[in-house]
Amino acid sequence: MKKTLITGGAGYIGSHAAKALSALGREVVVVDSLVAGHRDFLKWGEFEEGDLGDPAFLKAVFSRHDIGEVLHFAAFIAVGESVAKPDMYYGNNVRNTLNLLDAMLEADVKRLVFSSTAAVYGEPVTEVIAEDHPLSPLSPYAWSKRMIEQMLADYGRAYGLNHVCLRYFNAAGADPDGEIGERHQPETHLIPLILHTALGLRDNITLFGTDYPTPDGTCLRDYIHVTDLASAHVKALEYLESGGASRAFNLGNGNGFSVREIVDVARAVTGCAIPVVESDRRPGDSPALVSSAQAAHEILEWQPQFGDINEIVRTAWNWHQNDMAHLK
Ligand code: UFG
Protein backbone atom coordinates (compact mmCIF):
# COMPACT_ATOMS: atom_id res chain seq x y z
CA MET A 1 0.00 0.00 0.00
CA LYS A 2 1.33 3.44 -0.91
CA LYS A 3 2.03 5.94 1.86
CA THR A 4 0.34 9.29 2.51
CA LEU A 5 2.75 12.22 2.85
CA ILE A 6 1.65 14.88 5.35
CA THR A 7 3.46 18.22 5.16
CA GLY A 8 3.16 20.12 8.43
CA GLY A 9 2.23 16.88 10.17
CA ALA A 10 3.79 18.08 13.45
CA GLY A 11 1.41 21.04 13.54
CA TYR A 12 -2.04 21.49 15.03
CA ILE A 13 -4.31 20.20 12.24
CA GLY A 14 -1.70 18.07 10.45
CA SER A 15 -1.01 15.97 13.57
CA HIS A 16 -4.72 15.28 14.00
CA ALA A 17 -4.86 14.14 10.36
CA ALA A 18 -1.84 11.87 10.95
CA LYS A 19 -3.68 10.31 13.88
CA ALA A 20 -6.89 9.84 11.88
CA LEU A 21 -5.14 8.19 8.92
CA SER A 22 -3.02 5.93 11.13
CA ALA A 23 -6.14 4.81 12.99
CA LEU A 24 -7.44 3.54 9.64
CA GLY A 25 -4.27 1.52 9.07
CA ARG A 26 -2.83 3.87 6.47
CA GLU A 27 0.93 4.39 6.36
CA VAL A 28 1.90 7.99 6.96
CA VAL A 29 5.10 9.98 6.37
CA VAL A 30 5.26 13.35 8.11
CA VAL A 31 7.43 16.10 6.64
CA ASP A 32 7.96 19.04 8.99
CA SER A 33 10.71 21.60 9.54
CA LEU A 34 9.71 21.91 13.23
CA VAL A 35 9.87 25.70 12.81
CA ALA A 36 6.22 25.86 13.93
CA GLY A 37 5.55 22.14 14.46
CA HIS A 38 6.23 20.19 17.65
CA ARG A 39 8.41 17.11 18.07
CA ASP A 40 6.06 15.72 20.72
CA PHE A 41 3.20 15.77 18.17
CA LEU A 42 5.08 13.17 16.07
CA LYS A 43 3.24 10.13 17.35
CA TRP A 44 2.08 8.54 14.10
CA GLY A 45 3.98 7.29 11.06
CA GLU A 46 7.52 7.98 9.92
CA PHE A 47 9.17 11.39 10.19
CA GLU A 48 11.30 13.29 7.68
CA GLU A 49 12.67 16.52 9.16
CA GLY A 50 13.23 19.21 6.56
CA ASP A 51 11.90 22.27 4.82
CA LEU A 52 9.77 22.55 1.69
CA GLY A 53 12.14 25.36 0.70
CA ASP A 54 14.73 22.65 -0.02
CA PRO A 55 13.94 20.93 -3.36
CA ALA A 56 16.75 18.36 -2.91
CA PHE A 57 15.26 17.29 0.43
CA LEU A 58 11.81 16.92 -1.13
CA LYS A 59 13.17 14.91 -4.03
CA ALA A 60 14.95 12.59 -1.58
CA VAL A 61 11.76 12.10 0.46
CA PHE A 62 9.77 11.13 -2.64
CA SER A 63 12.51 8.70 -3.70
CA ARG A 64 12.82 7.11 -0.23
CA HIS A 65 9.06 6.48 0.14
CA ASP A 66 6.41 5.10 -2.18
CA ILE A 67 3.98 8.01 -1.86
CA GLY A 68 0.43 7.74 -3.21
CA GLU A 69 -0.95 11.13 -2.17
CA VAL A 70 -0.17 14.26 -0.23
CA LEU A 71 -1.96 16.22 2.49
CA HIS A 72 -0.41 19.69 2.42
CA PHE A 73 -0.73 21.58 5.72
CA ALA A 74 2.70 23.24 6.02
CA ALA A 75 2.28 27.03 5.95
CA PHE A 76 2.62 30.18 7.98
CA ILE A 77 -0.83 31.13 9.31
CA ALA A 78 -0.77 34.49 11.11
CA VAL A 79 -2.84 37.10 9.25
CA GLY A 80 -1.28 40.13 10.99
CA GLU A 81 2.27 38.89 10.49
CA SER A 82 1.56 38.35 6.79
CA VAL A 83 0.68 42.04 6.41
CA ALA A 84 4.00 43.07 8.00
CA LYS A 85 6.10 40.40 6.24
CA PRO A 86 4.49 39.43 2.93
CA ASP A 87 7.80 38.05 1.59
CA MET A 88 7.71 35.42 4.35
CA TYR A 89 4.21 34.33 3.36
CA TYR A 90 4.63 34.31 -0.40
CA GLY A 91 7.98 32.55 0.03
CA ASN A 92 7.01 29.90 2.56
CA ASN A 93 3.45 29.33 1.41
CA VAL A 94 3.46 29.91 -2.35
CA ARG A 95 7.02 29.25 -3.51
CA ASN A 96 7.47 26.24 -1.26
CA THR A 97 4.18 24.78 -2.51
CA LEU A 98 5.60 25.05 -6.04
CA ASN A 99 8.59 23.03 -4.83
CA LEU A 100 6.22 20.43 -3.43
CA LEU A 101 4.18 20.25 -6.65
CA ASP A 102 7.35 19.87 -8.73
CA ALA A 103 8.56 17.02 -6.51
CA MET A 104 5.12 15.38 -6.70
CA LEU A 105 4.96 15.54 -10.48
CA GLU A 106 8.50 14.23 -10.80
CA ALA A 107 7.51 11.25 -8.65
CA ASP A 108 4.22 10.92 -10.59
CA VAL A 109 2.09 11.61 -7.49
CA LYS A 110 -1.18 13.11 -8.72
CA ARG A 111 -3.41 13.49 -5.65
CA LEU A 112 -3.27 16.40 -3.21
CA VAL A 113 -5.50 17.68 -0.42
CA PHE A 114 -4.69 21.32 0.34
CA SER A 115 -5.36 23.27 3.56
CA SER A 116 -7.11 26.40 2.42
CA THR A 117 -9.07 28.87 4.49
CA ALA A 118 -12.31 30.80 4.72
CA ALA A 119 -10.06 33.87 4.54
CA VAL A 120 -10.03 33.46 0.72
CA TYR A 121 -13.60 34.85 0.69
CA GLY A 122 -12.68 38.17 2.32
CA GLU A 123 -15.58 40.35 3.37
CA PRO A 124 -18.76 38.22 3.11
CA VAL A 125 -21.49 39.47 0.79
CA THR A 126 -23.96 36.77 1.87
CA GLU A 127 -24.95 35.74 5.41
CA VAL A 128 -23.81 32.17 4.89
CA ILE A 129 -20.79 31.47 2.70
CA ALA A 130 -20.88 28.69 0.10
CA GLU A 131 -17.99 27.74 -2.19
CA ASP A 132 -19.30 29.91 -5.04
CA HIS A 133 -19.10 33.07 -2.90
CA PRO A 134 -16.72 35.59 -4.58
CA LEU A 135 -13.07 35.22 -3.58
CA SER A 136 -11.56 38.46 -2.34
CA PRO A 137 -8.62 37.90 0.03
CA LEU A 138 -7.79 40.74 2.45
CA SER A 139 -4.27 39.79 3.58
CA PRO A 140 -1.07 38.32 2.11
CA TYR A 141 -1.83 35.17 4.12
CA ALA A 142 -5.23 34.82 2.47
CA TRP A 143 -3.77 35.76 -0.91
CA SER A 144 -1.10 33.07 -0.54
CA LYS A 145 -3.84 30.45 -0.07
CA ARG A 146 -5.87 31.88 -2.95
CA MET A 147 -2.81 31.83 -5.22
CA ILE A 148 -2.13 28.20 -4.36
CA GLU A 149 -5.74 27.29 -5.15
CA GLN A 150 -5.22 28.90 -8.57
CA MET A 151 -1.90 27.10 -9.06
CA LEU A 152 -3.61 23.81 -8.30
CA ALA A 153 -6.37 24.51 -10.82
CA ASP A 154 -3.75 25.28 -13.48
CA TYR A 155 -1.62 22.23 -12.59
CA GLY A 156 -4.79 20.16 -12.68
CA ARG A 157 -5.57 21.21 -16.23
CA ALA A 158 -1.99 21.00 -17.50
CA TYR A 159 -0.56 18.02 -15.61
CA GLY A 160 -3.56 16.05 -14.36
CA LEU A 161 -2.96 16.89 -10.70
CA ASN A 162 -6.18 15.94 -8.88
CA HIS A 163 -6.80 18.05 -5.82
CA VAL A 164 -9.25 19.08 -3.14
CA CYS A 165 -8.97 22.48 -1.44
CA LEU A 166 -10.47 22.39 2.05
CA ARG A 167 -11.47 25.87 3.18
CA TYR A 168 -11.49 25.72 6.96
CA PHE A 169 -13.50 28.17 8.98
CA ASN A 170 -12.20 28.54 12.58
CA ALA A 171 -10.31 25.41 13.62
CA ALA A 172 -10.74 24.78 17.35
CA GLY A 173 -10.67 22.13 20.07
CA ALA A 174 -8.21 19.32 20.66
CA ASP A 175 -7.87 15.57 20.32
CA PRO A 176 -10.57 14.03 22.59
CA ASP A 177 -7.94 11.55 23.87
CA GLY A 178 -5.75 14.50 24.92
CA GLU A 179 -2.74 13.35 22.88
CA ILE A 180 -2.35 16.51 20.78
CA GLY A 181 -3.88 19.97 20.65
CA GLU A 182 -3.36 23.61 19.78
CA ARG A 183 0.03 25.12 20.62
CA HIS A 184 1.04 28.20 18.65
CA GLN A 185 3.94 30.49 19.51
CA PRO A 186 2.93 33.26 19.80
CA GLU A 187 -0.76 32.41 20.28
CA THR A 188 -3.22 34.76 18.58
CA HIS A 189 -6.40 32.63 18.42
CA LEU A 190 -9.42 33.39 20.54
CA ILE A 191 -10.17 30.09 22.31
CA PRO A 192 -6.58 29.31 23.40
CA LEU A 193 -6.15 32.88 24.67
CA ILE A 194 -9.39 32.65 26.65
CA LEU A 195 -8.21 29.36 28.19
CA HIS A 196 -4.78 30.84 28.98
CA THR A 197 -6.74 33.49 30.91
CA ALA A 198 -8.65 30.78 32.77
CA LEU A 199 -5.32 29.17 33.65
CA GLY A 200 -4.02 32.46 35.07
CA LEU A 201 -1.36 32.87 32.37
CA ARG A 202 -3.02 36.12 31.28
CA ASP A 203 -4.98 38.65 33.31
CA ASN A 204 -7.85 39.02 30.83
CA ILE A 205 -9.06 38.48 27.29
CA THR A 206 -9.35 41.47 24.99
CA LEU A 207 -12.55 41.78 22.97
CA PHE A 208 -11.44 43.16 19.60
CA GLY A 209 -14.42 45.35 18.71
CA THR A 210 -17.80 45.58 20.44
CA ASP A 211 -19.56 47.75 17.85
CA TYR A 212 -19.98 45.28 14.99
CA PRO A 213 -23.41 44.93 13.37
CA THR A 214 -24.00 41.62 15.20
CA PRO A 215 -26.47 40.77 18.00
CA ASP A 216 -24.01 41.55 20.83
CA GLY A 217 -21.57 43.77 18.91
CA THR A 218 -18.72 41.21 18.74
CA CYS A 219 -17.64 39.15 15.71
CA LEU A 220 -19.35 35.90 14.77
CA ARG A 221 -17.22 32.89 13.81
CA ASP A 222 -17.94 29.30 12.79
CA TYR A 223 -15.82 27.05 15.04
CA ILE A 224 -15.07 23.58 13.70
CA HIS A 225 -13.43 20.84 15.78
CA VAL A 226 -9.95 19.82 14.66
CA THR A 227 -10.89 16.11 14.79
CA ASP A 228 -13.74 16.87 12.36
CA LEU A 229 -11.25 18.66 10.10
CA ALA A 230 -9.06 15.54 10.25
CA SER A 231 -11.97 13.27 9.28
CA ALA A 232 -12.75 15.58 6.36
CA HIS A 233 -9.22 15.02 5.07
CA VAL A 234 -9.79 11.27 5.14
CA LYS A 235 -13.03 11.78 3.21
CA ALA A 236 -11.29 14.05 0.70
CA LEU A 237 -8.59 11.44 0.07
CA GLU A 238 -11.23 8.75 -0.44
CA TYR A 239 -13.07 11.10 -2.82
CA LEU A 240 -9.94 11.61 -4.93
CA GLU A 241 -9.11 7.91 -4.84
CA SER A 242 -12.54 7.09 -6.20
CA GLY A 243 -12.02 9.50 -9.11
CA GLY A 244 -13.73 12.61 -7.72
CA ALA A 245 -13.20 15.83 -9.68
CA SER A 246 -10.91 18.53 -8.31
CA ARG A 247 -12.78 21.20 -6.34
CA ALA A 248 -13.01 23.19 -3.09
CA PHE A 249 -15.11 22.35 -0.02
CA ASN A 250 -15.96 24.50 2.97
CA LEU A 251 -15.49 22.94 6.39
CA GLY A 252 -17.52 24.45 9.21
CA ASN A 253 -20.53 23.74 11.43
CA GLY A 254 -22.70 26.46 9.91
CA ASN A 255 -23.30 28.22 13.25
CA GLY A 256 -21.92 31.64 14.13
CA PHE A 257 -20.83 32.24 17.75
CA SER A 258 -19.90 35.70 18.97
CA VAL A 259 -16.70 36.43 20.89
CA ARG A 260 -18.80 37.13 23.99
CA GLU A 261 -20.65 33.82 23.58
CA ILE A 262 -17.35 31.95 23.38
CA VAL A 263 -16.17 33.64 26.59
CA ASP A 264 -19.44 32.56 28.28
CA VAL A 265 -19.03 28.97 27.07
CA ALA A 266 -15.46 28.96 28.42
CA ARG A 267 -16.65 30.33 31.77
CA ALA A 268 -19.17 27.48 32.03
CA VAL A 269 -16.66 24.81 30.94
CA THR A 270 -13.77 25.98 33.16
CA GLY A 271 -15.68 27.40 36.13
CA CYS A 272 -13.31 30.40 36.00
CA ALA A 273 -14.29 34.09 35.91
CA ILE A 274 -12.28 35.03 32.76
CA PRO A 275 -12.21 38.86 32.91
CA VAL A 276 -12.70 40.70 29.61
CA VAL A 277 -11.40 44.07 28.43
CA GLU A 278 -13.20 45.83 25.61
CA SER A 279 -10.96 47.22 22.90
CA ASP A 280 -10.93 48.59 19.35
CA ARG A 281 -11.55 46.41 16.32
CA ARG A 282 -8.61 44.35 15.06
CA PRO A 283 -7.80 45.49 11.49
CA GLY A 284 -8.94 43.05 8.82
CA ASP A 285 -11.58 41.20 10.88
CA SER A 286 -14.89 40.45 9.17
CA PRO A 287 -18.02 40.95 11.31
CA ALA A 288 -19.24 37.42 10.58
CA LEU A 289 -17.84 34.33 8.86
CA VAL A 290 -20.30 31.44 8.77
CA SER A 291 -20.08 28.49 6.40
CA SER A 292 -22.38 26.41 4.36
CA ALA A 293 -20.65 23.02 4.31
CA GLN A 294 -23.49 21.39 2.39
CA ALA A 295 -21.18 20.32 -0.44
CA ALA A 296 -18.90 18.47 1.98
CA HIS A 297 -21.94 16.79 3.55
CA GLU A 298 -23.43 15.74 0.23
CA ILE A 299 -20.39 14.98 -1.92
CA LEU A 300 -17.76 13.90 0.64
CA GLU A 301 -20.38 12.38 2.98
CA TRP A 302 -18.65 14.21 5.82
CA GLN A 303 -20.50 14.84 9.08
CA PRO A 304 -18.90 16.67 12.03
CA GLN A 305 -18.96 14.62 15.25
CA PHE A 306 -18.11 17.50 17.59
CA GLY A 307 -20.60 20.13 16.49
CA ASP A 308 -21.45 21.24 20.04
CA ILE A 309 -19.49 24.37 20.96
CA ASN A 310 -19.34 23.26 24.63
CA GLU A 311 -17.66 20.03 23.54
CA ILE A 312 -15.22 21.94 21.33
CA VAL A 313 -14.18 24.21 24.21
CA ARG A 314 -14.12 21.28 26.68
CA THR A 315 -11.61 19.30 24.58
CA ALA A 316 -9.47 22.44 24.22
CA TRP A 317 -9.63 23.02 27.99
CA ASN A 318 -8.51 19.44 28.74
CA TRP A 319 -5.58 19.89 26.39
CA HIS A 320 -4.46 23.30 27.70
CA GLN A 321 -4.60 22.14 31.31
CA ASN A 322 -2.25 19.26 30.47
CA ASP A 323 -0.07 21.43 28.24
CA MET A 324 0.57 24.04 30.96
CA ALA A 325 4.31 23.31 31.02
CA HIS A 326 4.66 24.53 27.44
CA LEU A 327 2.59 27.64 28.06
CA LYS A 328 4.66 29.19 30.85
N1 UFG B 1 -10.51 37.87 19.06
C1 UFG B 1 -10.63 38.69 20.16
N2 UFG B 1 -9.61 38.73 21.05
C2 UFG B 1 -8.46 38.02 20.90
C3 UFG B 1 -8.34 37.17 19.76
C4 UFG B 1 -9.38 37.13 18.86
O1 UFG B 1 -11.64 39.36 20.35
O2 UFG B 1 -7.57 38.12 21.74
C5 UFG B 1 -11.62 37.78 18.10
C6 UFG B 1 -11.22 38.19 16.70
O3 UFG B 1 -11.34 39.57 16.54
C7 UFG B 1 -12.22 37.39 15.89
C8 UFG B 1 -12.46 36.12 16.71
O4 UFG B 1 -12.03 36.44 18.02
O5 UFG B 1 -13.42 38.08 15.78
C9 UFG B 1 -11.68 34.93 16.22
O6 UFG B 1 -10.31 35.32 16.07
P1 UFG B 1 -9.14 34.28 15.78
O7 UFG B 1 -7.87 35.06 15.73
O8 UFG B 1 -9.23 33.14 16.73
O9 UFG B 1 -9.51 33.70 14.35
P2 UFG B 1 -9.74 34.48 12.96
O10 UFG B 1 -11.21 34.39 12.70
O11 UFG B 1 -9.15 35.82 12.94
O12 UFG B 1 -8.82 33.65 11.97
C10 UFG B 1 -9.01 32.29 11.72
C11 UFG B 1 -7.69 31.62 11.42
C12 UFG B 1 -7.07 32.16 10.17
C13 UFG B 1 -8.04 32.10 9.06
C14 UFG B 1 -9.33 32.74 9.43
C15 UFG B 1 -10.35 32.52 8.37
O13 UFG B 1 -6.81 31.82 12.47
O14 UFG B 1 -5.96 31.37 9.83
O15 UFG B 1 -9.84 32.18 10.63
O16 UFG B 1 -11.47 33.24 8.63
F1 UFG B 1 -7.54 32.73 7.98
Side-chain angles (χ1 to χ4, degrees):
M1 188 191 190
K2 286 181 183 280
K3 302 177 186 177
T4 304
L5 184 79
I6 305 184
T7 76
Y12 174 41
I13 307 172
S15 61
H16 286 79
K19 177 170 180 170
L21 284 173
S22 299
L24 293 172
R26 286 183 180 246
E27 285 190 58
V28 162
V29 180
V30 168
V31 165
D32 204 296
S33 65
L34 299 181
V35 168
H38 309 290
R39 197 173 285 281
D40 60 314
F41 286 15
L42 294 167
K43 301 182 189 212
W44 301 277
E46 297 168 87
F47 177 48
E48 293 276 5
E49 183 171 352
D51 200 293
L52 302 190
D54 180 352
F57 162 71
L58 277 173
K59 195 181 160 124
V61 169
F62 277 92
S63 61
R64 271 197 289 276
H65 302 275
D66 187 15
I67 305 294
E69 63 243 327
V70 176
L71 301 185
H72 180 32
F73 295 92
F76 291 147
I77 60 159
V79 175
E81 184 181 57
S82 79
V83 176
K85 299 175 183 170
D87 52 327
M88 247 175 90
Y89 279 71
Y90 293 124
N92 188 57
N93 296 4
V94 180
R95 186 190 55 222
N96 291 356
T97 296
L98 276 175
N99 293 342
L100 174 68
L101 298 183
D102 289 345
M104 285 178 65
L105 292 181
E106 204 181 317
D108 202 30
V109 177
K110 297 278 180 69
R111 283 194 294 269
L112 176 80
V113 179
F114 171 60
S115 298
S116 191
T117 168
V120 296
Y121 296 115
E123 203 72 44
V125 295
T126 52
E127 209 164 297
V128 169
I129 300 173
E131 289 83 356
D132 60 358
H133 182 284
L135 303 180
S136 182
L138 298 173
S139 69
Y141 162 73
W143 268 112
S144 75
K145 295 288 182 176
R146 170 74 190 97
M147 287 175 183
I148 295 167
E149 288 198 4
Q150 185 62 45
M151 279 161 36
L152 294 177
D154 294 336
Y155 272 53
R157 271 185 292 271
Y159 309 125
L161 180 78
N162 300 307
H163 58 277
V164 164
C165 298
L166 296 177
R167 295 177 182 157
Y168 315 150
F169 281 66
N170 285 61
D175 173 37
D177 304 326
E179 293 192 273
I180 40 179
E182 189 165 14
R183 191 196 296 150
H184 294 120
Q185 192 56 260
E187 189 53 79
T188 61
H189 297 98
L190 180 67
I191 293 176
L193 291 176
I194 289 174
L195 298 178
H196 294 182
T197 311
L199 287 166
L201 300 167
R202 299 167 56 95
D203 293 336
N204 51 58
I205 183 76
T206 307
L207 305 183
F208 291 144
T210 54
D211 60 348
Y212 283 100
T214 58
D216 69 16
T218 63
C219 293
L220 303 179
R221 291 291 181 273
D222 182 347
Y223 296 89
I224 176 75
H225 197 280
V226 64
T227 298
D228 289 327
L229 292 180
S231 74
H233 285 77
V234 174
K235 294 285 191 187
L237 276 183
E238 291 169 355
Y239 168 79
L240 288 176
E241 284 161 359
S242 63
S246 297
R247 59 162 295 162
F249 292 99
N250 285 342
L251 297 178
N253 281 309
N255 303 312
F257 290 94
S258 74
V259 176
R260 288 190 203 275
E261 284 175 319
I262 296 295
V263 173
D264 285 340
V265 169
R267 284 176 176 146
V269 166
T270 65
C272 298
I274 313 182
V276 301
V277 171
E278 297 190 2
S279 168
D280 292 342
R281 295 181 178 194
R282 185 173 68 176
D285 276 342
S286 292
L289 287 172
V290 181
S291 71
S292 161
Q294 205 180 329
H297 298 156
E298 288 174 5
I299 299 171
L300 297 182
E301 297 176 356
W302 169 74
Q303 285 300 336
Q305 301 300 309
F306 300 90
D308 177 6
I309 191 67
N310 297 287
E311 192 58 20
I312 291 174
V313 174
R314 195 170 10 254
T315 58
W317 176 233
N318 289 343
W319 163 255
H320 284 293
Q321 284 174 293
N322 292 329
D323 203 39
M324 275 285 274
H326 285 99
L327 297 171
K328 284 182 180 155

